[in-house]
Amino acid sequence: MTLFDIVIVGGGMAGASLGAHLAADARVLILEMEAQPGYHATGRSVAFWEETYGGPAVQPLTTASGPLLESPDPAFHDRSFLSPRRTLHVGRAEDAPLRDALLARFAGKVVLEPVDPAPLVPGLRPDWTIGVLEASCRDIDVAALHQAYLRRFAAAGGELWLSASLLAARAEAPGWRIETSRGPVCCGLIVNAAGAWADEVARRSGVAPIGITPLRRTVVQLGVPAMPSPDLPLVMDLRAGFYFKPEGPGRVWLTPHDEDPSPPCDAAPEELAVAQALARFEAAVDWPVTRIEHKWAGLRSFAPDRAPVYGPDPDVPGFFWFAGQGGFGIQTAPAAALLGHALISGSALPSAIAGLDAEPYLPGRLR
């Protein structure tokens, strides 16, 4: 029987980031059901850091993560994970109330500037007259961030088992016996960082699920040779009907902002969502699309109140939730990992996240 202090279920950004901190002080195993970590949500991210994205519940985690992504510890990574982007929130004349609500919601928290959108996006169709500039938005090098966490985890002595699923777990004093597809293990604490599979992992562990729902998000990569510049901002519809961002010269990543309920799975794009994305893009800009180069889908997993779930299960000792990040788990990963580590270790919050309040994220709110 293999013994660990902590078993983390899920090797995506959530499990890797938290494991990188926990492995410094404990014997930690990450169970990853796929042959490579980060295959699902982490590997399908549109890869930006935006403080308003996710709303007020997510913004404190995003804001606290910014400096950690911009200037990481040199022992962790030798350069920034961020690069310049900006966001332009756009709308038509009738969307003025949405602009005003956005400005009010983040007043004093995020710098937002009402602007004329036309000069910022050449080719924007003339009915898009409302703009709000969020200059702080950055692109994230997701692959580099994920790999840096995995390297840190391994360097601290953490073990990563690939193609290893949690089949069942039962409480056995003083901890857990876990049956995995690679054999049994024992541990003192299970961390549920399983993304779309979080509720299923809870069920297999005899823990009541908390209603984490996977929602499919479709993304298409378009060839648009007439796009004026690869340095244009991320363009986000105030009505949440689409967003798109340049991904190099003549290339755009585009989503129709869909959120269709899905079982946990290897998500695939729906043709209707692809068609909706193209129609909404062509209604926003006059850049001809020459081809669809690639299309994919990922699952964004939400708790019922759409806030992340970080903390011990209120009913089952030794079971820790680290899930429900929605589509915001990449941009919040550094702060969330520090928060999770503090909650597990019982230590004070480190200075980088000293202003965070853990209460809105604890799973007890959902029981």
Side-chain angles (χ1 to χ4, degrees):
M1 179 70 65
T2 309
L3 301 176
F4 294 92
D5 299 311
I6 301 169
V7 170
I8 299 173
V9 185
M13 189 67 77
S17 60
L18 182 56
H21 292 284
L22 292 173
D25 305 308
R27 188 175 184 198
V28 183
L29 168 67
I30 292 178
L31 291 177
E32 170 52 54
M33 67 179 182
E34 302 293 352
Q36 65 184 66
Y39 176 77
H40 291 285
T42 297
R44 308 179 196 200
S45 168
V46 181
F48 58 81
W49 176 89
E50 185 193 273
E51 291 177 277
T52 62
Y53 193 51
V58 174
Q59 175 265 318
L61 291 162
T62 304
T63 299
S65 294
L68 300 169
L69 291 166
E70 183 67 62
S71 301
D73 181 342
F76 174 47
H77 195 65
D78 61 1
R79 59 191 178 279
S80 176
F81 294 105
L82 302 180
S83 55
R85 175 54 62 195
R86 303 176 297 163
T87 296
L88 179 65
H89 303 268
V90 297
R92 298 180 172 95
E94 61 268 27
D95 297 326
L98 297 176
R99 173 201 58 200
D100 297 342
L102 176 67
L103 294 170
R105 192 179 305 126
F106 293 99
K109 300 175 181 177
V110 181
V111 177
L112 299 171
E113 178 188 0
V115 294
D116 175 5
L120 294 173
V121 183
L124 189 68
R125 297 195 183 276
D127 52 333
W128 296 88
T129 57
I130 287 179
V132 176
L133 182 64
E134 186 172 345
S136 60
C137 176
R138 299 288 187 266
D139 285 343
I140 304 176
D141 189 337
V142 176
L145 180 63
H146 188 220
Q147 288 301 312
Y149 278 127
L150 289 173
R151 285 196 303 272
R152 183 173 178 178
F153 175 71
E159 291 190 38
L160 171 63
W161 289 7
L162 299 176
S163 302
S165 299
L166 182 149
L167 304 177
R170 67 176 184 268
E172 287 188 353
W176 294 85
R177 177 186 171 94
I178 303 174
E179 303 298 334
T180 84
S181 55
R182 287 184 49 176
V185 298
C186 285
C187 68
L189 178 72
I190 294 175
V191 174
N192 185 357
W197 285 263
D199 270 5
E200 179 60 26
V201 165
R203 291 187 189 95
R204 294 182 185 185
S205 305
V207 177
I210 56 177
I212 292 183
T213 302
L215 303 176
R216 187 180 60 249
R217 171 62 52 86
T218 303
V219 183
V220 294
Q221 179 174 298
L222 304 178
V224 283
M227 185 180 70
S229 168
D231 299 322
L232 294 174
L234 165 71
V235 177
M236 189 166 285
D237 176 20
L238 283 165
R239 289 185 176 270
F242 65 84
Y243 64 77
F244 63 84
K245 77 165 190 173
E247 188 62 21
R251 176 174 292 157
V252 163
W253 282 0
L254 164 71
T255 174
H257 221 279
D258 50 332
E259 289 189 345
D260 297 318
S262 168
C265 65
D266 185 358
E270 295 285 340
E271 289 306 317
L272 177 59
V274 172
Q276 289 173 333
L278 284 170
R280 294 170 188 178
F281 180 76
E282 291 171 343
V285 293
D286 65 5
W287 312 332
V289 176
T290 58
R291 63 197 177 280
I292 296 176
E293 297 180 338
H294 186 42
K295 52 190 174 183
W296 67 95
L299 297 180
R300 311 162 81 247
S301 302
F302 290 92
D305 61 2
R306 296 180 71 90
V309 186
Y310 302 137
D313 189 273
D315 302 319
V316 181
F319 192 91
F320 190 93
W321 291 85
F322 201 68
Q325 292 94 338
F328 325 112
I330 307 297
Q331 66 177 31
T332 60
L338 290 174
L339 177 61
H341 177 260
L343 291 171
I344 289 170
S345 66
S347 58
L349 296 182
S351 58
I353 61 166
L356 280 181
D357 178 9
E359 194 69 27
Y361 310 119
L362 295 177
R365 73 186 195 271
L366 300 170
R367 289 282 168 79

